[in-house]
Amino acid sequence: MAGDAIAPVGLTGRPVYELRGVSKTFARRNVHALDKVDLVLREGTFSAIIGPSGCGKSTLLKIMAGLQPPSSGSVVLEGKPVMGPRRDIGMMFQQATLFPWRTTLENIVLPIEIRDGKAAARAKYDEARQLIDLVGLKGFENVYPSELSGGMAQRAAICRMLITEPAVLLLDEPFSALDELSRDFMNMELQRICLERNATAFLVTHSIPEAVILSDVVYVMSPRPGRFVEAITIDLPRPRTLDTMADPRFGALVHRIRSLLDQGAFQ
Amino acid sequence: MAGDAIAPVGLTGRPVYELRGVSKTFARRNVHALDKVDLVLREGTFSAIIGPSGCGKSTLLKIMAGLQPPSSGSVVLEGKPVMGPRRDIGMMFQQATLFPWRTTLENIVLPIEIRDGKAAARAKYDEARQLIDLVGLKGFENVYPSELSGGMAQRAAICRMLITEPAVLLLDEPFSALDELSRDFMNMELQRICLERNATAFLVTHSIPEAVILSDVVYVMSPRPGRFVEAITIDLPRPRTLDTMADPRFGALVHRIRSLLDQGAFQ
Amino acid sequence: GTQITVVLPNPSAINNFPLYVALGEKMFDKEGLQVKVEAVDGSSQVLQAMSAGQAQIGQPGAAPVLAARARGVDVVFLYNHFAKSVFGVVVPEKSAIKTPADLKGAVIGVGTADGAEVGFTRAILTDLKMEEGKDYTFLPVGDGGLAAAAFLRGDIKAYAAAVSDAAIMETRGIDLREITPEQYLSYFGNGYAVMRSFMDQNPQAIEKFGRVLVRATEFGLNPANRDKVMQHTKAGNPQEGEDTKLSTALFEQVKDRITPADTSKGWGYQPPEHWELWHKSAVASGILKAPLPDLKAAYTNQFVESWNKGAK
Amino acid sequence: MHAQGATVHGDVAAEAVPEQTIWAEHVSWIDRVPRWVSMLALMIGFLAVWQIIYLIELISPIILPSPLETIQDLFVVGKNLLTGDYMLLALWITTQEVLLGFIIAVVLGFALGVLVGETAFGERAVMPYLVAINTMPKVAFAPLFVSWLGFGIGSKVALAAFIAFFPVIVGTAAGLHAADQNARMLFKTMGASRWQTLVQLKLPTGMPHFFSGLKNAAVLVVVGAVVGEFLGGGKGFGELIRVAAAQLNTPRVFSLIIYLSLLGLATFWIVAWMQRRFVFWHKESVAEETLAQ
Amino acid sequence: MHAQGATVHGDVAAEAVPEQTIWAEHVSWIDRVPRWVSMLALMIGFLAVWQIIYLIELISPIILPSPLETIQDLFVVGKNLLTGDYMLLALWITTQEVLLGFIIAVVLGFALGVLVGETAFGERAVMPYLVAINTMPKVAFAPLFVSWLGFGIGSKVALAAFIAFFPVIVGTAAGLHAADQNARMLFKTMGASRWQTLVQLKLPTGMPHFFSGLKNAAVLVVVGAVVGEFLGGGKGFGELIRVAAAQLNTPRVFSLIIYLSLLGLATFWIVAWMQRRFVFWHKESVAEETLAQ
Ligand SMILES: Nc1ncnc2c1ncn2[C@@H]1O[C@H](COP(=O)(O)OP(=O)(O)OP(=O)(O)O)[C@@H](O)[C@H]1O
Ligand SMILES: Nc1ncnc2c1ncn2[C@@H]1O[C@H](COP(=O)(O)OP(=O)(O)OP(=O)(O)O)[C@@H](O)[C@H]1O
Ligand SMILES: [Mg+2]
Ligand SMILES: [Mg+2]
C-alpha cells in the first residue's frame, strides 16, 4: 500500500514545495521520527496529512517550515532550498498564541514588525484591518486577546499568518482546541479564505472528516517512523459546505481513510 | 419548537432522574444561566445534550450532581431530592484529573477511600482491577499517571467513576480533549460499558455525531438562558459502530440537529 | 581649610562631648579645620574606614589598634580620649558581691567573646589568682537590651560593661553597683588615632585638631557651660538629647572617665606603662599571636605638649 | 440499553417530588464579616494580649514596652515627622537609600538574570556562584562597602542592593523561561533574531515573574538599608533605631520599627501597583493578590 | 482551488533541487564547554581579579584579604574542623540552630500558611499583618528572644525561625490555591469533607510551592542563626566571625563565611533532595533546577 503507488492522479499545476527523501532522527533520544518522505505540493491545492499520534506529522511540518533541519533529504520551496525560517511560509498551530500585551491589530502585524520594523508594521495596519474584516473580527481590532473567545483568537491567528502574504500555509491542527461547532465553522472560513487567495495549504489533523472536507489530497501516514502510506484524492466539488458531510461519497471517503488508519495501527 | 412539544415518544422505563422547573441565576454577575428545565431520565437510557457554548450545559450537570443548588425548581434522583453530592452519581469531566501522586489503581479507588476509608478502598482493589481490564488498561495498574497517554487517563477516569457503581453517569464533554481518532474509539468503549452495566447516562457534548452515535435521545439547548428546544429520539439500532456513521439515517439526524442549532444561534 | 573626617565607633554624642562642643562652638572653624563626624559600629570598622582613606582621624580602642598594626596597618594612637578605662565590672545593687574577689564561681557577662572588656576583666581576676573556666566564666551577651535581659533573667551575676551601658541601665531602673578596683582604670579607653602617612604629611592639622579638643574639653568640664554642652551634644544626636535624665547621667560618667588620674601630663597623654598593660592583655587573649616588636610605634605623645600649651 | 429513553414534562413520576427540595449555599458567618472588622478585631486582640503580658510583668519594660507607651511614642515620632524635624530628615535619607538601592538591585539583578536565563554559560556556570553568594550572611560585607563608598548613603545603598538583588535575578531568569514552546516556535517562524525574541517575547512573558522578584526585593531593600545604617553609621532611620536601642528606649525602638515597616509596605505597594499598571494582562493568583492587598 | 494537488515522488520539478540542502543545527561553542570547565574558568578569573586588586593595594588588607591568604585560612579552618577542634564545636552549635530553626519555621509557617490559604479570615485579616511583620528589620527583636529564651541556642533558633518562616507561609498558601477547579469539583462530587480535600487534594497539589518556600527558608535560616549569634553571643560560627572581624582577621572572616555558605548550600540541597524524593511527580522548571543544581 505504501511507496511508489501513492501518487494521486489528476493533479497538475506549478510545484511550490518539493521534498525528497526527508528523514529525521532525534539523536538525543534516538527517536526515528520520519522515514524518507517525498512530497510535492502544487500551487493552489489544499493537502492534509493524517496519522496516529506521535507519527511525526508536526516534525514534518517543522522541517518544511525551516524550524528544524532534516537529518537527510532536501526541502525546496519556490525553487530555493529551505535553510531556515522564510517569509514566504505562513504557519499556524493548535494554540492561537496571541500575545496578551498586544491588541488584536498589533498581534496581527507582529510578523511584519519582526521582519521590517515598527514603521513597516504601521504601514500594514490598513491591510490588517481588511484581513480582520475577512475573518469576521470587525470591531475587535483594538481589544486585547483576553477578551477574545477561542475561535476569535484563532481567527486573529489566521490574519497574522496571512499578513505576510505567504506562498504556502502550513497548518498544524489549527482548530483542534476549539469545540466542534466552532471548528466546523472555522474550517468553512478557512476554505473560503484559501479559495479567495488561491493559497497553497498543508494541514495536519487528527480528524478524518476535517481532512476530507478541506482537502484535494489526503495523505495517510504510518506510525513512527512516519512515512506516507497512501495519498487519497478527494474529488468532491468545491466550494464544499457542512452539508457535504451528508453526501454518501463523503461518508465513503471517511470510511476508506479510517480503515487505512486502523490497518496502519497494526502494521 | 420548544416547551410542551419536546417529549420524545416511545421511551419507557423506571424514571431515575426527575428535574422540574430547574432555573439558575448567578447572583454575583447577574447571569441567567438556566431557564425552567424539565427533564426525566429513565433507567438504562443514554441521553445527550448539545448546545452552543455558554448556554448552561455544565451548570445543569452540576445542579443534577448536587454540586450547585438550583435557584428554583427541584431535582430528584431515585425518589430522593438531590441536596448535595451523592454516591449514586458518577461524574466525568473534560480533563481526566488523575492525581499524579497516586498510581492508576489508587486513583481509581479514590472515591471509595474518600467515602469509606482506606480499608474499604483496599477491599475494592479486585473490583478496580476488573474495571481496569474492562477498559483495556491491563498492565497499567501500578504506574503513575504521567506515564499514561490522554486516552488512557480518560479510561482510568471512567473506572474511577464506575467503581462506586453509580445509578447514573453524568458526563461533561468527557473525551473532547482527545484527538478525534482516540475519541471515536473511547465513545465506542463508553457505549459498550453502558450496555454491559445497563447504566443510565447523561452526556454533555459539542459534537453532533458523538451525540447521535451514543444516545437514545438528544436534547438541543438554546443559547443562554439555556432551555431545551427539542428532544430528538435516535432510533438507530444498537450496538452501533463507527460504520453507523456512514448510515444515511445517521447523516439525516446530524443534519437535523445542526439546522436546529443554527436556528438557535439566531433566535 | 583642611577637611577632616572623624569616625567614631558609636553614635553617642555625649561620649564624645568635646568633639561636639568644638563643633557647636565653631572652634574648628577658627583653626581653619573643616571637621565632619561619622559613626560606625565598633573599633574594627573605625580602623577599616581609616585604612581605606574614608576618614583621616578615628577613635578606636587600644587593642584593635594593636591588632591592626599586627596586620601591617601603620596606625598611630595620638590622643587619649578616655584616659581611664571605659569599662567597669558592675553587679546589681542588691547583689552580695562587693569586690571582684566575690566573683568566684560567677558567670560574668561581656559584650563579645574577646572584646577589650574581656581582657580587662581577665586581668583583674588573674591578679586575684582566679582562672577562667575554673573559677569564673564569661558569657557573651552583647550590649544594651541584651545585657539588661541577661541580668533580669539571672543568666549573669556581673557584667563587664562600658560605663555608658551601665549608666543607661541605671536610668532605666536596673540599679547597678560598680566593683572595679581603682588601679585597673589604667586600661584606658578609646582615643584618637591616625594613619602614620597622614601624621607625617599633616602635622599642623593634627596639632590644630588636638588643640581644639583640649580647649573644648576644658570648656565642657566647666560647670558654667553645662547647658551649652547639652545643647551641642543634642544637636549632634537629637534622639539622645531628648532624654535629659539619661544624657545627664551619661555626661557625669563620661566627665569622670576622660579625666586622667594624673592630670600633670596634660590632656591626651598616654602613659607607656598603660600601653604595656594593653599589649600584655592582647597577647594573653590571642588578639595578638605574638608580642609586637615595636609597641612604641603604636602611639606617640609628641603633640601632647603643644596641644596643652596652645589651648591656653 | 434498550429502545427506552427519557421524557420531558409532568408525568406520574413527578408526583413523588417533595415540595421543598431547594438547598441554599452555605456561607460561613466569618466569611461575611467585612475585612476591616476582622482586621480591627485581630489588632485589638493582639494589643490586649500584649497589654496583659505587660501588666503581669512577664517581661521587663526595657525589653518589651507596653502597647500604650508604644502608641504614645508612635504619636511622638509622627509629630516629629510631620513637623519636619530630625526624624523626617532621617526618614528622607533612608528613603533615598531604599530607592537607590532598589534601582541598583533591579538593574543589576535584571542584567544578571538575563545572563543566567538566556545563556547556558550563565545558567550553568554563573548561577551556582550566585546561589552560594546568596547563602552568605551579607552583613559581613558592610565594612567593604563603607571603605569603598564612604559614610554617605553610598555604602548603605550598596548593601541594600546587595541584599536585595538575588530575588530579581531569580525572577528575571524564571521569567525568561516562562514563554511556552508554541510562542517560541512562532517567533522562530517569523525569523525573529535572538534579541527580538528576548525583547518582544521572553521579557513581556516573564513580566509577572520579574515583578514577583521585584516585590521580594522591595521588602529586602528596606531591611538592607536599615542594617547598613546599623553597621555603617549615617543619619537615617536605622541609626535612630540603633541609638534608641542603645539607650534601652524600647517604646521608641518599636515605634520606629513600625514606621519602617510602613516604608517597606509602601515600596511593596508601589511595585504591586506598577505591576497592575504595566502588566495589565496578567491576573494575579489569589495568594499573590493577598500579598499585594 | 481547482482540482489540482500534489504529487509524491520524482518528477520534473525535483531536478531543480540543489545537491546540498542540509543545514545543521548550530550549537554555540560556549554551550559545548563542560560545566566544570566554565565554573573553574569563572573561579580562576575571579581569583585573578581579586589578587590583582590586592597586589595594586587598592584596598587595605584589614578590609579585603588576599585570595592566597584566604585559601590558606580555608585550610587552617578545614583542618580545625576535621580534627574536631573548637571550630567543629562552633559549627555543630550553628548547625543545631539551623536545623531546629528550620523545623520551627516549617511547622509555624505551615500552620500559618494553612490558616491563610484555607480560611477567608486568614487570607483577608491575618495576611496583611504577616506582610507588615515581614517588612520589619527582624534583628531588632533579638533582645526579646534572648530575654525569653536566654543565651543558649534557644534565642538563636527563635531568631532564625522568625527570619525564615515567611516564605514557608507564602509557599503553603500559594500551594493550597494551586489545585485547579476540576480537581476541586471532582472532590466535591466524591463528597469529600473540607479536611479530606485539604489533606488528599490541596496539600499534595501544593507540594511544589511548599517546597520552593522551604528552599527560600533553608537559606534564610542560616542567615538568621548567624545574625542571632552576632547579636546575642553564643558559641557558634557567627561568634567566630564576629571575633575574627573584631580582631581585623579578615582572611579568617572570609574563610568562615565561605564555610557558612557551604552550610547554607547544604541545607538548600537537602531540601531540594527531599523535594525530588517526595514530590517525585513534579518536574522542576529549568530555572528551579539550576537553583537546586
Ligand atoms: N525535539 C525532539 N527531541 C526528541 N524527540 C522528539 C522531538 N520532537 C519530537 N520528538 C519525537 O518525535 C516523534 C514525532 O513527534 P511529532 O510531534 O512530530 O508527532 P505528531 O505526529 O505531530 O504527534 P501528535 O499527533 O501527537 O501531534 C514523537 O515520538 C516525539 O516524541
Ligand atoms: N460560578 C459562576 N458564577 C457566575 N457565572 C457563571 C458561573 N458558572 C457559570 N457561569 C455562567 O453561566 C453561563 C453558563 O455556563 P456553563 O459553564 O454552564 O456553560 P456551558 O454550556 O457548559 O458552556 P461550554 O459549552 O463552553 O462548556 C456562562 O455564561 C457562564 O459564564
Ligand atoms: Mg503534532
Ligand atoms: Mg461546559
Side-chain angles (χ1 to χ4, degrees), chain A residues 17 60-70 73-78 80-91 115 168 170, chain D residues 185-192, chain E residues 20-26:
Chain A
Y17 242 119
L60 177 63
L61 233 70
K62 282 180 208 161
I63 291 172
M64 288 170 73
L67 295 173
Q68 277 179 353
S74 73
V75 181
V76 176
L77 170 59
E78 300 276 20
K80 276 171 295 182
V82 173
M83 308 286 280
R86 277 171 49 172
R87 60 186 310 159
D88 43 7
I89 300 170
M91 233 183 144
R115 283 169 189 166
V168 51
L170 302 179
Chain D
M185 202 144 64
L186 192 69
F187 265 69
K188 230 174 147 188
T189 63
M190 297 191 285
Chain E
Q20 191 46 43
T21 54
I22 303 291
W23 49 289
E25 257 165 316
H26 173 73

Side-chain angles (χ1 to χ4, degrees), chain B residues 11 18 40 42-43 45 69 73-74, chain D residues 1 4-7 13 21-23:
Chain B
L11 291 167
E18 292 152 89
V40 174
R42 293 182 184 275
E43 194 180 10
T45 61
S74 73
Chain D
M1 205 178 282
Q4 299 177 345
T7 72
T21 54
I22 302 291
W23 49 289

Side-chain angles (χ1 to χ4, degrees), chain E residues 111-174:
Chain E
L112 284 170
V114 170
L115 179 75
V116 167
E118 265 291 289
T119 69
F121 173 74
E123 183 171 331
R124 291 151 42 101
V126 179
M127 195 61 186
Y129 289 116
L130 292 175
V131 172
I133 288 173
N134 190 44
T135 60
M136 293 177 178
K138 302 187 191 72
V139 284
F141 293 102
L144 266 179
F145 291 125
V146 169
S147 68
W148 283 326
L149 301 164
F151 291 92
I153 66 168
S155 52
K156 284 99 207 170
V157 167
L159 188 67
F162 187 41
I163 286 182
F165 84 121
F166 193 74
V168 185
I169 297 182
V170 174
T172 310

Side-chain angles (χ1 to χ4, degrees), chain D residues 7-68:
Chain D
T7 72
V8 184
H9 255 241
D11 62 12
V12 208
E15 267 133 53
V17 178
E19 276 308 290
Q20 190 50 42
T21 54
I22 302 291
W23 49 289
E25 257 163 316
H26 173 73
V27 179
S28 157
W29 66 269
I30 210 160
D31 293 354
R32 278 174 302 176
V33 173
R35 178 183 189 154
W36 65 269
V37 173
S38 36
M39 282 186 76
L40 197 69
L42 207 67
M43 173 63 90
I44 289 169
F46 175 72
L47 290 178
V49 171
W50 183 0
Q51 183 71 39
I52 288 168
I53 288 177
Y54 180 78
L55 286 179
I56 60 171
E57 296 190 349
L58 211 62
I59 300 174
S60 157
I62 59 171
I63 293 160
L64 187 70
S66 83
L68 215 71

